[in-house]
Amino acid sequence: GAVVSQHPSWVICKSGTSVKIECRSLDFQATTMFWYRQFPKQSLMLMATSNEGSKATYEQGVEKDKFLINHASLTLSTLTVTSAHPEDSSFYICSARDKSVGGTEAFFGQGTRLTVV
Amino acid sequence: SQQGEEDPQALSIQEGENATMNCSYKTSINNLQWYRQNSGRGLVHLILIRSNEREKHSGRLRVTLDTSKKSSSLLITASRAADTASYFCATVGGQGFSFIFGKGTRLLVKP
């Protein structure tokens, strides 16, 4: 099956620093990638949708200047949490939509646990 | 807003019993997927059912889809302690091809 690799799987950073999370589709081209955030014992909440070569579309309430998304190629999207604060600590998960099967299937990375201290 | 709503929110059963979880959604879909998440871990794709399918099997998993009722069910037969996890349904469809998750069902299988 299709594989989506997310890196790092966990990261601890100091308050005020920026953290970059990568999401790669390893064996397919992803026209669209999605970024989600999950708080403990909660569901995944869609943060933004990124299409290759264009600006990301952010969900209401998500600060685009805080969560920078770059989808530079059909296999890579990055999420940068800028000037991180403890309240940004969360589990971030990406998913990628498989272009080759008509785009009706999407696959998920393993997630990144961010802890801001 | 969330598309899917799973029920029950929590389910506790004995090993060997069957577990049934339900998911309802709001808008039209292309497909519906079920995922499993162990505590603090990433998502594992379990099964995908397309909007023109009514039932699908994969090992001990059985998924049904009723598009008229906008609902789906996931049945895990002969449950094992290792099945303990949270289970989410996710729908694909709608404008912008958003992929929306329900709140999940936390399943506990007691050995």
Side-chain angles (χ1 to χ4, degrees):
Chain A
V3 177
V4 174
S5 174
Q6 191 172 336
H7 176 80
S9 56
W10 60 270
V11 58
I12 301 173
C13 71
K14 291 184 178 179
S15 190
T17 61
S18 296
V19 174
K20 181 185 284 188
I21 303 169
E22 291 187 349
C23 179
R24 292 180 186 274
S25 57
L26 298 186
D27 53 0
F28 66 97
Q29 292 185 326
T31 49
T32 308
M33 289 188 173
F34 306 88
W35 288 95
Y36 296 82
R37 181 173 182 175
Q38 184 183 35
F39 291 104
K41 297 185 179 179
Q42 300 291 315
S43 186
L44 284 78
M45 298 302 295
L46 181 65
M47 296 175 65
T49 303
S50 72
N51 294 295
E52 184 261 339
S54 63
K55 290 183 180 180
T57 303
Y58 290 80
E59 295 298 301
Q60 194 171 13
V62 178
E63 300 174 57
K64 60 181 181 181
D65 294 330
K66 173 78 172 174
F67 299 100
L68 300 179
I69 292 173
N70 186 310
H71 192 160
S73 76
L74 282 171
T75 59
L76 174 64
S77 176
T78 60
L79 168 68
T80 301
V81 183
T82 62
S83 187
H85 289 100
E87 57 265 31
D88 298 325
S89 298
S90 190
F91 194 57
Y92 293 87
I93 302 179
C94 71
S95 73
R97 179 180 169 186
D98 189 341
K99 181 181 180 183
S100 66
V101 292
T104 59
E105 296 188 27
F107 302 91
F108 286 80
Q110 286 298 308
T112 297
R113 181 160 302 284
L114 170 64
T115 302
V116 184
V117 297
Chain B
S1 61
Q2 282 179 296
Q3 162 81 304
E5 292 280 342
E6 289 93 345
D7 111 83
Q9 291 190 358
L11 180 61
S12 180
I13 59 174
Q14 291 295 136
E15 204 165 27
E17 293 180 341
N18 295 341
T20 300
M21 290 160 265
N22 302 297
C23 166
S24 59
Y25 57 92
K26 297 174 184 175
T27 64
S28 61
I29 61 171
N30 293 321
N31 66 63
L32 184 144
Q33 302 180 35
W34 283 92
Y35 286 83
R36 166 197 165 125
Q37 184 182 36
N38 287 70
S39 180
R41 308 291 285 274
L43 293 170
V44 175
H45 180 263
L46 295 177
I47 195 165
L48 178 154
I49 185 165
R50 293 187 169 80
S51 60
N52 61 352
E53 297 175 314
R54 292 295 167 259
E55 187 171 313
K56 205 162 182 180
H57 297 256
S58 176
R60 293 184 296 115
L61 305 180
R62 173 177 170 258
V63 169
T64 63
L65 179 65
D66 187 335
T67 52
S68 66
K69 294 181 180 178
K70 291 186 168 57
S71 68
S72 173
S73 68
L74 171 68
L75 169 67
I76 303 174
T77 59
S79 64
R80 304 166 183 167
D83 294 329
T84 295
S86 290
Y87 292 83
F88 295 92
C89 70
T91 54
V92 179
Q95 254 184 352
F97 203 86
S98 57
F99 192 52
I100 306 296
F101 282 87
K103 293 181 180 178
T105 292
R106 292 190 305 280
L107 174 66
L108 172 64
V109 181
K110 301 174 188 174

